[in-house]
Structure formats: C-alpha cells, structure tokens
Amino acid sequence: MNTPHVVVVMGVAGTGKTTIGPLLAARLGVPYAEGDDFHPQANIAKMSAGTPLTDEDRRPWLDAIGEWAHGRAGLGGVVSCSALKRSYRDRLRAAAPGVVFVHLTGDRALIEDRMSHRQGHFMPTALLDSQFATLQPLQADEAGADVDVSGGPEEITERAALALEDLPEPVQ
C-alpha cells in the first residue's frame, strides 16, 4: 500500500497555496493545515504593516509547521508554507525528514493580479517583490516538484497530484 506523503505546498504569496492546499488534501484523502495559522501574532502584525519577516521571525513558525508535519509522518497531510529559502525547507526536513514540496510557480504579473483581487489577507501586494527576491527554487536534491499556477484551481490541483505520483515513497 502506498503511504501518503506529507506535502508542503510552497511558493510566493499569491500563488494559491491556500486554495490548492485544501483541494490537494481532499484529493489525497489527508488533512490540510493552513500554514498562516502557525504564525505568531507578531509576525502577522509585521506583514500586515508591510514589513517583511526576518529569518529570526520565521523560526518559530517553521518549527510549528515542522512539528505538525512530523506528527503526520506515515499518515499523510498537506500544509501550506511559503518555504521560500532552502534553509527554511531544510529546517522543515530536519523536523519531518519525509516531507515533499509542491512548488507553485507562475508569472509575476499573473500572481500580482491574483493577489490584488483577494480579500481579507494580511499580505499586501507591496511585499511581492521581496518574496521573489527571497525565493530559492527547489534544487535537484530536494524531494518535490514545480507546478505551474496558470489555469483554474482544479487544473492546478490535477498537475500537483500527478507530480506527486512520480515521487518516490516517503521516508519514515
């Protein structure tokens, strides 16, 4: 029997992590966790004010997500997390060695357009440039796949699910 992966849906703000994550989790039949819910209130306040987070700000957030992912090892799960830097993904893997990444990628203009139409989110479009500047794409030695965000949510979810099928069994 194929053991479900613990999947981190990653990418810059506006790529659809919060939309695709739950759809992918439902397709895989595993729980979904919203990465933003793991942020301490101080982080949300900084981002709401248009101030990018520092690596120090992100540590407790990444550790909380890593703890959740570790608890889902062998059971499967999907969590959204920008995971923009290799060091952030390494921190997640240190807590949950079998985690895999679905990197939602797309054209900056498309992502900015989508960000400008969403409501009730604390991340302003003004921080998009800092997100792209920080982004370190998945490397060849990292378990995961890039998934293009053009098209509708169902189409993107289908691409993500197919990409996951091509990955090796999760490490326990």
Side-chain angles (χ1 to χ4, degrees), residues 90-127:
D90 289 345
R91 193 169 186 99
L92 292 171
R93 275 190 294 269
V99 26
V100 298
F101 296 88
V102 167
H103 179 195
L104 300 179
T105 64
D107 177 71
R108 189 198 181 290
L110 171 67
I111 294 167
E112 183 174 24
D113 181 63
R114 288 183 180 172
M115 279 184 81
S116 69
H117 289 94
R118 65 185 185 178
Q119 299 188 3
H121 196 277
F122 55 79
M123 177 69 82
T125 56
L127 290 182

Side-chain angles (χ1 to χ4, degrees), residues 1 34 37-38 48 50 74-75 78 83 87 91-92 106 116:
M1 180 173 146
E34 170 55 54
D37 293 345
F38 293 91
S48 296
L75 303 170
V78 175
S87 63
R91 193 169 186 99
L92 292 171
S116 69

Side-chain angles (χ1 to χ4, degrees), residues 26-52:
R27 171 144 180 176
L28 299 175
V30 298
Y32 170 73
E34 170 55 54
D36 288 341
D37 293 345
F38 293 91
H39 272 298
Q41 190 57 42
N43 286 6
I44 293 172
K46 276 184 97 167
M47 289 183 286
S48 296
T51 305

Side-chain angles (χ1 to χ4, degrees), residues 69-163:
H70 177 78
R72 297 301 311 163
L75 303 170
V78 175
V79 62
S80 58
C81 173
S82 54
L84 298 178
K85 287 185 180 180
R86 170 72 186 245
S87 63
Y88 304 163
R89 297 188 298 271
D90 289 345
R91 193 169 186 99
L92 292 171
R93 275 190 294 269
V99 26
V100 298
F101 296 88
V102 167
H103 179 195
L104 300 179
T105 64
D107 177 71
R108 189 198 181 290
L110 171 67
I111 294 167
E112 183 174 24
D113 181 63
R114 288 183 180 172
M115 279 184 81
S116 69
H117 289 94
R118 65 185 185 178
Q119 299 188 3
H121 196 277
F122 55 79
M123 177 69 82
T125 56
L127 290 182
L128 189 57
D129 286 335
S130 74
Q131 293 258 304
F132 273 105
T134 301
L135 176 64
Q136 296 172 344
L138 288 175
Q139 300 300 301
D141 66 334
E142 293 184 273
D146 292 337
V147 175
D148 181 68
V149 296
S150 59
E154 293 77 17
E155 200 178 335
I156 299 163
T157 302
E158 175 70 17
R159 283 196 292 272
L162 290 173

Side-chain angles (χ1 to χ4, degrees), residues 159-170:
R159 283 196 292 272
L162 290 173
L164 288 171
E165 288 177 8
D166 292 337
L167 296 178
E169 287 285 318

Side-chain angles (χ1 to χ4, degrees), residues 10-78:
M10 65 168 279
V12 299
T15 53
K17 296 180 295 290
T18 299
T19 300
I20 302 308
L23 292 172
L24 184 59
R27 171 144 180 176
L28 299 175
V30 298
Y32 170 73
E34 170 55 54
D36 288 341
D37 293 345
F38 293 91
H39 272 298
Q41 190 57 42
N43 286 6
I44 293 172
K46 276 184 97 167
M47 289 183 286
S48 296
T51 305
L53 298 179
T54 65
D55 286 354
E56 186 66 31
D57 294 330
R58 286 186 179 90
R59 283 190 189 107
W61 174 62
L62 292 167
D63 290 345
I65 292 171
E67 184 178 324
W68 183 88
H70 177 78
R72 297 301 311 163
L75 303 170
V78 175

